[in-house]
Amino acid sequence: MKKRRIATIGEAMVVFNPTKTGPLRFVHSFERAVGGAELNFAIGAARLGLEAKWISCLGDDEFGKVIYNFARGEGIDVSDVNRSERYATSVYFKEIQENGAGKSFYYRQPSPLLELTVDKISESVLENVDLLHISGVYLSVCKHHIEVVRKLIDFAKKRHIPISFDPNLRLKLWTIEEARAVYETIYPSVTIFLAGAEEFEWLFGSESVEEVQARYQMEEMVIKKGEQGATVYANGHWTEHEAYKIKAVDTVGAGDAFDAAYIYGYLNQETIDERLRLANGAGALVATIKGDNEGLPSFKELKQFIGDEQMIER
């Protein structure tokens, strides 16, 4: 069977993970890794068996080489990853609490993505692509990204390519009012909306999921609820699936894992209930391992975790 292919656009950063939990000012050593919401999504999709294209720009420096080689090693199509000699590759530091929650401290301005302007995006980037995934993180980093995304959406519509969108709010990068204004121009083009329950409230206030769906005509409204599982509103019906019980170590990247697994199920024509099983499982697995994408599972690992396949340990 032909592998389905996704494309996404966004920034990747070198991540410095703390070697102990607690306030960052008391952490004296870090481990270097790679992160970024859109790259995490692409890696998650590739590990599950989809083909994945990542569109981006990195600094032409050592950290840029680390990210580029890492992405290529994961099987990601990096043919549309540009290099900037002017701007350094972005970095960020993570603070992790004992319960797995944490904070992120970004050093991404000016970003190499300043050089990924709308004139550098051609329709060929969506050649043979079955779904375009957009994240609000990319939209928040540089103002001209809004025009880049609009151009990609136009290309996707022309080719009848479905679009998934995760608002991925980063209120350290812009205000909720700025995010709302931009997202409202994106919603009418979205096929699958993937948001956290808290994000949904920030974006839409007292409006219900049904009201938002009716207003923007998004086909599937996916609401992620963390420890309470996830729900989907589609075709006038609700589908719900409970979360898997785990001990969270690091929750960063869990939402990206959820998105990748849900889209994998969508492109492979799984039922909505099965997509939720896969997505909740992928999100849970990532939260059990320290790092943004280290816990992203292969399809076999995911099926073993959710109990569909037996794991033989010896």
Side-chain angles (χ1 to χ4, degrees):
M1 183 175 68
K2 177 183 176 294
K3 282 188 176 182
R4 310 296 279 174
R5 182 174 175 83
I6 62 94
T8 191
I9 184 168
E11 184 177 41
M13 297 165 285
V14 164
V15 184
F16 289 95
N17 289 310
T19 56
K20 67 176 185 178
T21 58
L24 209 58
R25 62 186 178 274
F26 299 119
V27 177
H28 303 289
S29 58
F30 300 83
E31 295 175 340
R32 190 195 71 197
V34 170
E38 299 87 4
L39 180 57
N40 291 342
F41 173 83
I43 293 169
R47 288 186 187 172
L48 290 172
L50 298 175
E51 292 184 355
K53 166 175 272 196
W54 174 49
I55 306 160
S56 190
C57 187
L58 299 167
D60 191 21
D61 50 28
E62 291 300 306
F63 283 165
K65 292 173 186 176
V66 167
I67 296 171
Y68 185 89
N69 291 339
F70 177 73
R72 188 171 58 179
E74 289 288 341
I76 307 298
D77 178 351
V78 293
S79 58
D80 283 289
V81 175
N82 299 316
R83 306 299 283 271
S84 170
E85 295 184 358
R86 184 176 180 184
Y87 302 113
T89 300
S90 300
V91 301
Y92 88 97
F93 291 79
K94 283 164 64 176
E95 177 182 284
I96 302 174
Q97 304 303 323
E98 286 292 336
N99 64 357
K103 300 177 183 176
S104 298
F105 298 87
Y106 302 109
Y107 298 86
R108 65 197 313 174
Q109 296 295 346
S111 164
L113 284 177
L114 285 168
E115 295 195 354
L116 186 57
T117 50
V118 70
D119 57 291
K120 295 182 180 178
I121 300 294
S122 66
E123 191 173 344
S124 63
V125 299
L126 297 185
E127 190 73 36
N128 299 317
V129 166
D130 297 298
L131 180 137
L132 170 65
H133 181 73
I134 299 168
S135 164
V137 177
Y138 174 72
L139 288 163
S140 68
V141 175
C142 302
K143 287 187 176 180
H144 74 265
H145 290 174
I146 300 163
E147 294 304 316
V148 172
V149 164
R150 286 174 180 157
K151 190 170 186 179
L152 283 172
I153 287 173
D154 288 342
F155 290 152
K157 286 183 173 180
K158 183 178 178 181
R159 291 172 175 262
H160 305 289
I161 296 170
I163 296 169
S164 59
F165 177 62
D166 187 330
N168 241 325
L169 277 173
R170 295 291 188 272
L171 296 180
K172 287 186 177 182
L173 301 178
W174 60 357
T175 67
I176 188 62
E177 291 78 17
E178 289 173 322
R180 284 177 184 148
V182 172
Y183 292 174
E184 284 175 3
T185 68
I186 304 295
Y187 296 146
S189 303
V190 171
T191 309
I192 302 173
F193 179 74
L194 302 134
E198 188 176 34
E199 281 180 321
F200 187 90
E201 291 181 8
W202 285 337
L203 291 169
F204 301 108
S206 60
E207 278 192 275
S208 68
V209 172
E210 293 92 335
E211 289 171 332
V212 173
Q213 192 278 332
R215 177 145 57 100
Y216 295 108
Q217 295 298 301
M218 292 183 274
E219 291 182 15
E220 299 186 15
M221 305 286 292
V222 185
I223 308 299
K224 298 176 276 188
K225 299 180 178 180
E227 295 178 352
Q228 283 74 51
T231 59
V232 176
Y233 183 71
N235 301 315
H237 300 286
W238 281 99
T239 305
E240 183 174 0
H241 200 281
E242 64 183 8
Y244 294 92
K245 303 301 181 184
I246 60 162
K247 181 180 179 181
V249 174
D250 182 358
T251 58
V252 175
D256 305 323
F258 181 103
D259 292 356
Y262 190 89
I263 294 305
Y264 170 88
Y266 171 81
L267 290 176
N268 285 282
Q269 300 180 323
E270 299 286 359
T271 65
I272 290 178
D273 184 67
E274 179 63 12
R275 291 180 224 166
L276 285 176
R277 290 182 70 236
L278 294 171
N280 280 336
L285 275 170
V286 167
T288 64
I289 296 176
K290 185 178 177 181
D292 288 29
N293 48 55
E294 285 80 349
L296 289 166
S298 67
F299 187 68
K300 183 175 182 179
E301 290 168 338
L302 180 53
K303 295 291 275 186
Q304 289 173 339
F305 177 76
I306 65 178
D308 289 351
E309 291 187 13
Q310 183 179 2
M311 182 183 298
I312 300 175
E313 297 182 348
R314 298 187 181 188

